Amino acid sequence: MKRSLLAAAAVLSVALAGAVPAEAVAIPDFPVPKTFGTTFQADPGHDFTKHISSRKDGVLRGWITHVSTGQVEYEPIKWVKGRYTEGHFTGPREGAATAYASPVAKNVVFLSALGCSAEMMGLTVNKQGLGAKRCSRDTLLTRVKKYRRASLITVYRGEIVKLQEIYTP
């Protein structure tokens, strides 16, 4: 009897292991750019002269510039050192065609640097100054409609699957 139960349990565990839902697929471990990099990240092979489209798979230091039904537009950013301050992030010059558009995955991982509340009170960052508090997709979409926040944006299979805010005072 024990052997039968053990065999049945082994078969069930193998069957369950193979039935992984699509949402649970792991995000590949892409190289992460310097958080405060001073140059825009290149996207070799991307044709900006055609319609606005998704960036290739990987992590982009950028911010979301527009939210519309079903997708968001985003662009690369770089850190500009200040003369009298530490500095600030800036996007491409006006008129530069370097924007991307991608849908936000239903199960996006949004790591906030300022908590999940609408007031954005409380610092929730790791030692590198990156967001550490997991918030909902709705919180992400609400926040990026109101504020342009520097972030590490992970694109996988044409969708934004992770967005981690960069804390700047």
Side-chain angles (χ1 to χ4, degrees), residues 4 7 13 28-29 38 50 52 67 141 164:
S4 300
S13 67
D29 195 15
T38 56
K50 301 203 176 182
I52 188 168
V67 179
L141 294 174
Q164 187 171 23

Side-chain angles (χ1 to χ4, degrees), residues 4-164:
S4 300
L5 288 175
L6 288 174
V11 168
L12 181 61
S13 67
V14 168
L16 289 176
V20 178
E23 301 90 40
V25 174
I27 301 167
D29 195 15
F30 295 115
V32 179
K34 288 183 180 179
T35 304
F36 294 94
T38 56
T39 59
F40 293 117
Q41 289 171 255
D43 192 7
H46 191 91
D47 188 354
F48 290 102
T49 63
K50 301 203 176 182
H51 69 283
I52 188 168
S53 61
S54 184
R55 187 180 195 316
K56 68 177 179 193
D57 289 355
V59 181
L60 174 73
R61 181 184 54 253
W63 53 33
I64 293 176
T65 57
H66 180 71
V67 179
S68 61
T69 306
Q71 69 178 3
V72 297
E73 293 180 16
Y74 52 103
E75 65 185 18
I77 59 174
K78 67 178 180 177
W79 182 254
V80 177
K81 294 179 182 179
R83 180 180 281 184
Y84 302 109
T85 65
E86 289 184 38
H88 63 279
F89 282 106
T90 187
R93 61 177 166 62
E94 188 68 33
T98 55
Y100 305 98
S102 299
V104 177
K106 298 271 187 244
N107 60 336
V108 65
V109 174
F110 171 43
L111 299 172
S112 171
L114 299 169
C116 298
S117 69
E119 298 82 30
M120 296 190 302
M121 301 299 282
L123 202 56
T124 54
V125 297
N126 61 20
K127 292 178 182 178
Q128 291 79 34
L130 298 172
K133 173 76 173 168
R134 183 155 186 179
C135 302
S136 71
R137 180 180 190 269
D138 290 339
T139 301
L140 167 64
L141 294 174
T142 301
R143 187 166 297 169
V144 297
K145 283 180 186 177
K146 295 179 182 178
Y147 308 102
R148 196 176 280 194
R149 300 282 309 154
S151 305
L152 296 178
I153 302 169
T154 304
V155 177
Y156 182 54
R157 296 182 179 164
E159 288 187 318
I160 295 176
V161 294
K162 182 177 177 184
L163 188 135
Q164 187 171 23

